[in-house]
Amino acid sequence: MLKKTLNKKMKPIPYGRQFISDEDIQAVIETLQSDFLTQGPKIAEFENAFAKYIGSKYAIALANGTAALHLCAMALKVKPGQKVITTPITFAASANCVKYCGGDVVFADIDAETYLLDIEEVEKLLRSEPKGTFAGIIPVDFAGRTVNMESFRKLADEYGCWIIEDACHAPGGFFTDSNGNNQLCGNGKFSDLTIFSFHPVKHIACGEGGMITTNSEELYKKLLLLRTHGITKDPSLLHENHGGWYYEMQELGYNYRLTDFQAALGISQLKRADEGLAKRREIAGKYFDAFKNNPEILSQSGVVDGHAYHLYIIQVARRKELYDFLRSKNIFCQVHYIPVHLLPYYQSLGSQKGQFPLAEKYYEQCLSLPMYPTLKDEEQQFVIEKVKDFFLHNETKETQDISKKWL
Ligand SMILES: Cc1ncc(COP(=O)(O)O)c(C=O)c1O
């Protein structure tokens, strides 16, 4: 009876959502009332604060994570026919940036335990072709679990590849290097470029928004140009100068700018980033404890140092039934991701079912449980209880069926 009341009262629980505080709202209002809605001072303020948080030399704010990926591929000069390696278990944008520039995406399978791009599979691919065949690698800190970028850098250097790290899921996440030092995702020491997204379900929400971090001054300058149509007014870069109004379009770029009011929201959100991360880690710990002795949970994200827990993923045999059951209880889980090589567009380019068995097996079983800093303790307990109920209910049904057979 008590449980039923709880269920009725419980608001829908999504898998992820933004946390907007009164300070965030105030920061946006102040910027809306200021002289600049875009191309104003909030952009550099956000970039500087983000670079400081991540530990990189430079940061470039952009309209969204996809635009960030596109400009990275452009800045690294991806050309038609060039091959770039990435993981099938990511959002399509990680791969699409290569296609925007006419390059070819080559997928490599994931590691079954971490769900991340398997470095051994990448090495096999690199070895299988003459050096220079592959231009770059795009590892993804999927779900917030961080890639060991030191190992990837070593491998990339051996084969003359650049690295774009897709850290959309992992601002504040880190891996521990061979000297025992924690290295924050995107600090510029290992990848050429790292990208982040500020979509509302991510750690820092701007509505839409993205960031690139790097330690390369050359790439930084190139990205600034590409972000605004390839146009510059910098006197030191101009071929001619007709006066104060004069600008030159020196490359084919885009308008991929973030607005100042989005940047103001980002600055305000960034102040709470560590708090949010700590809360995500606490939620992950609770899920892990709740399910660690449950044999129906085939695998789960677990408690991992440096994990930024954008998502908490469990793997179960009857995923669709569990998903539907939880929906019927107002719990809106999600599946991350349909393997990119199986999306119709990539299949039309030649990818096939069966090519990456671990990624495909993972997809059959994965489910992302609600994970966001404002998830209340009673809401998480409700989710845990319903997941357990599902297995209890199904087990009972099976046991009854079997016992009927014996009768
Ligand atoms: C791994 C990954 N890469 C790239 C993106 C693209 O970011 P955005 O939605 O900001 O364009 C996302 C966002 O969903 C993502 O999850």
Side-chain angles (χ1 to χ4, degrees):
M1 184 63 195
L2 181 71
K3 274 185 193 168
K4 271 189 185 153
T5 322
L6 191 65
N7 191 5
K8 262 190 194 161
K9 272 191 186 166
M10 198 67 76
K11 281 202 315 203
I13 304 175
Y15 84 90
R17 66 162 292 139
Q18 70 274 17
F19 170 28
I20 303 294
S21 69
D22 291 345
E23 289 77 22
D24 292 342
I25 294 167
Q26 197 49 42
V28 174
I29 291 172
E30 277 168 22
T31 307
L32 286 173
Q33 290 167 335
S34 77
D35 290 337
F36 292 94
L37 296 190
T38 192
Q39 294 177 282
K42 286 291 166 194
I43 303 301
E45 193 183 325
F46 187 29
E47 290 172 338
N48 292 337
F50 195 80
K52 195 165 167 216
Y53 179 67
I54 294 293
S56 66
K57 278 196 189 156
Y58 306 103
I60 301 107
L62 291 141
N64 53 62
T66 306
L69 280 161
H70 184 190
L71 291 199
C72 287
M74 282 183 79
L76 292 165
K77 302 191 174 78
V78 173
K79 289 183 197 58
Q82 266 191 344
K83 293 185 170 151
V84 176
I85 302 169
T86 194
T87 168
I89 298 301
T90 184
F91 184 55
S94 315
N96 293 348
C97 63
V98 178
K99 297 308 302 172
Y100 296 154
C101 297
D104 294 331
V105 182
V106 181
F107 296 101
D109 213 344
I110 59 164
D111 176 279
E113 196 198 313
T114 62
Y115 321 149
L116 300 175
L117 180 62
D118 185 344
I119 193 162
E120 287 178 17
E121 291 298 313
V122 174
E123 190 166 3
K124 264 192 229 161
L125 265 178
L126 292 169
R127 276 214 203 113
S128 70
E129 301 276 355
K131 266 192 185 175
T133 306
F134 295 96
I137 309 169
I138 307 181
V140 180
D141 299 303
F142 169 63
R145 181 145 188 172
T146 46
V147 170
N148 183 327
M149 290 303 297
E150 187 183 26
S151 309
F152 267 95
R153 182 75 265 171
K154 211 163 150 249
L155 185 65
D157 284 348
E158 213 178 305
Y159 288 88
C161 293
W162 47 252
I163 298 178
I164 300 172
E165 180 182 3
D166 182 337
C168 281
H169 297 184
F174 63 83
F175 76 94
T176 306
D177 71 12
S178 53
N179 294 320
N181 296 321
N182 292 340
Q183 302 286 352
L184 280 170
C185 292
N187 68 7
K189 288 192 195 157
F190 304 96
S191 59
D192 296 273
L193 297 163
T194 304
I195 71 113
F196 299 87
S197 162
F198 306 130
H199 180 275
V201 294
K202 304 294 196 300
H203 294 63
I204 296 159
C206 291
E208 298 283 356
M211 192 74 82
I212 302 173
T213 58
T214 184
N215 281 357
S216 158
E217 189 183 358
E218 191 188 336
L219 288 172
Y220 170 67
K221 286 185 172 164
K222 180 96 177 163
L223 290 163
L224 286 182
L225 201 63
L226 292 173
R227 175 174 68 179
T228 305
H229 309 279
I231 285 177
T232 183
K233 283 185 94 173
D234 181 346
S236 69
L237 299 175
L238 297 175
H239 297 100
E240 298 173 34
N241 199 341
H242 303 174
W245 69 88
Y246 187 72
Y247 62 84
E248 285 177 359
M249 185 190 132
Q250 298 180 338
E251 299 216 26
L252 184 61
Y254 295 83
N255 175 358
Y256 279 167
R257 294 187 298 260
L258 189 75
T259 65
D260 273 54
F261 48 94
Q262 287 170 313
L265 181 55
I267 295 162
S268 183
Q269 291 253 313
L270 190 58
K271 291 180 189 153
R272 292 200 313 280
D274 280 340
E275 215 178 287
L277 207 51
K279 187 70 193 160
R280 285 173 184 273
R281 288 175 175 152
E282 189 188 313
I283 292 169
K286 284 184 187 159
Y287 277 138
F288 178 73
D289 284 344
F291 299 133
K292 68 183 172 202
N293 296 322
N294 195 327
E296 282 91 356
I297 310 286
L298 304 176
S299 157
Q300 61 171 325
S301 293
V303 175
V304 179
D305 268 359
H307 200 312
Y309 293 107
H310 165 53
L311 305 170
Y312 195 89
I313 297 166
I314 59 171
Q315 289 196 64
V316 295
R318 291 189 300 273
R319 192 264 314 275
K320 185 176 181 306
E321 288 150 88
L322 176 58
Y323 172 90
D324 289 341
F325 173 76
L326 294 174
R327 268 183 91 102
S328 75
K329 305 289 173 209
N330 251 353
I331 300 166
F332 294 87
C333 294
Q334 196 37 291
V335 168
H336 297 91
Y337 288 99
I338 302 166
V340 182
H341 71 284
L342 296 183
L343 298 173
Y345 172 74
Y346 282 98
Q347 290 212 43
S348 78
L349 299 179
S351 294
Q352 283 167 11
K353 205 161 186 205
Q355 251 184 315
F356 304 105
L358 296 180
E360 290 171 30
K361 185 80 193 155
Y362 162 85
Y363 167 59
E364 275 173 28
Q365 302 178 337
C366 66
L367 191 68
S368 305
L369 299 179
M371 164 61 85
Y372 46 93
T374 53
L375 181 69
K376 294 194 194 95
D377 196 42
E378 68 261 30
E379 289 173 325
Q380 187 181 10
Q381 288 316 318
F382 181 67
V383 174
I384 290 168
E385 189 186 296
K386 291 300 147 204
V387 171
K388 288 187 170 173
D389 275 3
F390 171 80
F391 290 115
L392 213 61
H393 172 76
N394 275 273
E395 206 174 70
T396 318
K397 198 168 148 252
E398 271 172 27
T399 319
Q400 279 170 356
D401 289 344
I402 292 165
S403 54
K404 261 189 222 151
K405 271 184 211 158
W406 281 102
L407 282 173

